[in-house]
Amino acid sequence: MPGFEIFGAEEKAQVLEVLDSGVLFRYEFAAQRKGVWKVLEFERAFAAYTGAAHAQAVTSGTAALKVALAALGVGEGDEVITQGFTFVATWEAILDCGAIPVFTEIDLTLNMDPVDLERKITPRTKAIIPVHMMGAPARIEAIKAIADRHNIPVLEDTAQAAGARLHGRHLGTFGAIGTFSFDAVKTMTTGEGGMCITDDETLWRRMSEYQDHGHDHLPNPGGRGGEGRSFVGFNYRMMEIQGAIGLAQLAKLETIVAAQKRNKALLREAAAALPGVQFREILDAEGDSATFLTFLLPDAARASAVNQVLREAGVGAVRWSENGWHYYPKWEHLLDGKTYCQGGWPFLAGGKRRVVYDPYGLPASAAIMERALTYQVPVLLTDEHYAKIAAALAKAARI
Ligand SMILES: *Cc1c(COP(=O)(O)O)cnc(C)c1O
């Protein structure tokens, strides 16, 4: 996840154009900005790259989810289904809308299990958010088919999968809306930033209005102050410097993905030496953005033992099952309903608990997660670093 690994002269040149124009803001200042509209240009370039009809830039991937849920009309009393392996942002956005997050199992794609999804749909389900974790797709075609049968919109959390495709089609373009993050650790970065893409002009208009206090952005004699509005919004506006950096990073995205694919293939070959190893199911190797390599050992004890050897060699793998930010049983603040709000919202309403979460409620996910080890795939993998990992894996294969 390495936009930051190849940050350089191109980003600097883009940012300087904004600084030279003196206009840091995406709206208005037409006379002063010398034709520089970086956020707008970034949106158009991102839409063209992914093949979506429209793009809306916002301040973060979390904001993108919030703006998308607002455009889909999700609110209090609704349920939104997502998966138990994701970054906390996915369900934070759901809670922030007043809706209740419902979690599905993952399968060997490490993403939403469509069979469990179907079981968890209720008359209150208003959106489904599959997450394309670690650069590779959920079973989005099956998920979309189930959602269509129930007439529920799909929002793809594509925060971790910019540049990834399934059968030639960009992730984020299967559902009604796809959202992206450009934070510090994502495949391309703008420092902080996010994007929503859609083919639906009405949804795009609602997102454009919601992220800017409801401004309708229609030409009128009163300028920005005279713009109309049809509902109450919020402020998630991206600024010009972020748009400028985004343009430079987007231009590098295909190169980043190609380098990751090469490096992932090397790491995979080294991990294949482990007895009984199984790899994460990748639905389309060609479309994988290859940000991570995940391999599974026959059981939890074996995964611990292997990782012990890797750690001792200074190249320990990530064990998401121990990670407090990405895995359901580790979200104690969610499970315990901890909130800043004195009235207990969003966990309590009118003094009553709205939802109770069972920490053991996703046993199939636990059985997968406890066996899994993950390496982040660098863009720039030195021969030394690779040799160190390969030697450690070879040593772990002999225990
Ligand atoms: C990073 C991330 C987000 C949130 O993005 P931010 O830009 O950090 O707000 C949302 N979902 C997933 C799966 C992520 O990895």
Side-chain angles (χ1 to χ4, degrees):
M1 295 188 140
F4 64 83
E5 284 186 74
I6 51 167
F7 197 90
E10 300 80 4
E11 286 77 5
K12 198 168 167 184
Q14 278 285 354
V15 169
L16 280 176
E17 275 187 56
V18 174
L19 296 181
D20 286 342
S21 82
V23 179
L24 300 173
F25 332 104
R26 76 159 297 176
Y27 295 114
E28 293 246 309
F29 295 88
Q32 293 98 310
R33 63 170 69 233
K34 304 173 183 152
V36 176
W37 299 86
K38 292 298 183 190
V39 175
L40 190 63
E41 206 187 317
F42 181 36
E43 287 170 342
R44 287 179 179 158
F46 200 83
Y49 170 74
T50 55
H54 308 279
Q56 177 63 53
V58 291
T59 44
S60 72
T62 314
L65 287 161
K66 181 77 196 300
V67 167
L69 286 167
L72 293 171
V74 173
E76 200 258 315
D78 297 337
E79 290 175 0
V80 177
I81 302 178
T82 188
Q83 59 201 51
F85 175 45
T86 183
F87 182 54
V88 293
T90 316
W91 52 262
E92 285 174 342
I94 298 169
L95 283 175
D96 208 48
C97 293
I100 298 285
V102 173
F103 298 96
T104 71
E105 299 277 20
I106 55 163
D107 61 21
L108 280 173
T109 62
L110 302 192
N111 289 320
M112 183 177 280
D113 174 4
V115 178
D116 198 39
L117 164 64
E118 186 124 46
R119 282 197 287 264
K120 286 182 173 156
I121 291 173
T122 75
R124 291 179 300 282
T125 308
K126 290 292 151 54
I128 296 166
I129 312 186
V131 187
H132 303 294
M133 286 298 278
M134 301 191 287
R139 295 184 199 283
I140 189 65
E141 288 163 327
I143 290 164
K144 180 70 169 48
I146 293 166
D148 285 352
R149 240 183 358 260
H150 293 268
N151 209 10
I152 301 167
V154 171
L155 195 184
E156 295 171 75
D157 183 343
T158 322
Q160 298 194 6
R165 300 162 174 84
L166 177 65
H167 308 140
R169 184 166 161 189
H170 275 271
L171 301 186
T173 63
F174 289 82
I177 301 173
T179 61
F180 295 80
S181 162
F182 310 125
D183 79 15
V185 293
K186 299 305 200 282
T187 314
M188 54 174 280
T189 185
T190 58
E192 299 283 357
M195 191 74 82
C196 306
I197 58 172
T198 183
D199 283 340
D200 184 322
E201 188 178 346
T202 305
L203 287 177
W204 169 70
R205 281 201 182 285
R206 294 180 74 166
M207 294 194 286
S208 154
E209 291 168 38
Y210 182 75
Q211 60 89 42
D212 185 24
H213 300 298
H215 278 272
D216 65 14
H217 304 134
L218 298 175
N220 72 82
R224 187 164 162 79
E227 285 177 356
R229 61 219 172 189
S230 48
F231 53 79
V232 174
F234 212 77
N235 175 9
Y236 294 113
R237 290 187 302 260
M238 182 181 268
M239 64 187 279
E240 289 289 277
I241 288 177
Q242 293 163 294
I245 297 170
L247 282 164
Q249 286 267 299
L250 181 61
K252 297 177 177 180
L253 184 52
E254 289 293 302
T255 320
I256 292 174
V257 170
Q260 286 175 163
K261 274 168 128 165
R262 280 195 303 276
N263 293 336
K264 181 170 175 176
L266 288 171
L267 295 172
R268 192 182 195 280
E269 210 175 284
L274 296 164
V277 75
Q278 180 186 18
F279 289 95
R280 172 192 187 186
E281 188 177 348
I282 302 286
L283 300 180
D284 173 9
E286 193 51 41
D288 183 10
S289 67
T291 53
F292 288 91
L293 171 73
T294 298
F295 46 100
L296 298 101
L297 282 304
D299 55 47
R302 193 83 193 158
S304 298
V306 165
N307 207 23
Q308 187 57 32
V309 175
L310 300 177
R311 276 190 190 135
E312 280 161 14
V315 290
V318 176
R319 255 188 124 180
W320 293 113
S321 60
E322 294 165 1
N323 182 293
W325 297 100
H326 295 83
Y327 181 43
Y328 175 86
K330 298 287 180 186
W331 297 327
E332 87 295 335
H333 56 331
L334 171 75
L335 303 181
D336 299 344
K338 290 187 179 158
T339 173
Y340 60 84
C341 177
Q342 293 185 20
W345 181 263
F347 301 104
L348 294 181
K352 282 214 227 36
R353 187 90 181 179
R354 298 167 77 214
V355 58
V356 175
Y357 291 108
D358 171 6
Y360 302 102
L362 298 176
S365 304
I368 293 171
M369 294 292 278
E370 67 186 16
R371 300 194 290 120
L373 296 178
T374 297
Y375 274 127
Q376 184 166 333
V377 178
V379 181
L380 311 170
L381 178 64
T382 61
D383 291 346
E384 292 89 323
H385 189 196
Y386 173 69
K388 202 168 163 185
I389 295 176
L393 284 165
K395 188 172 178 198
R398 292 191 298 271
I399 60 166

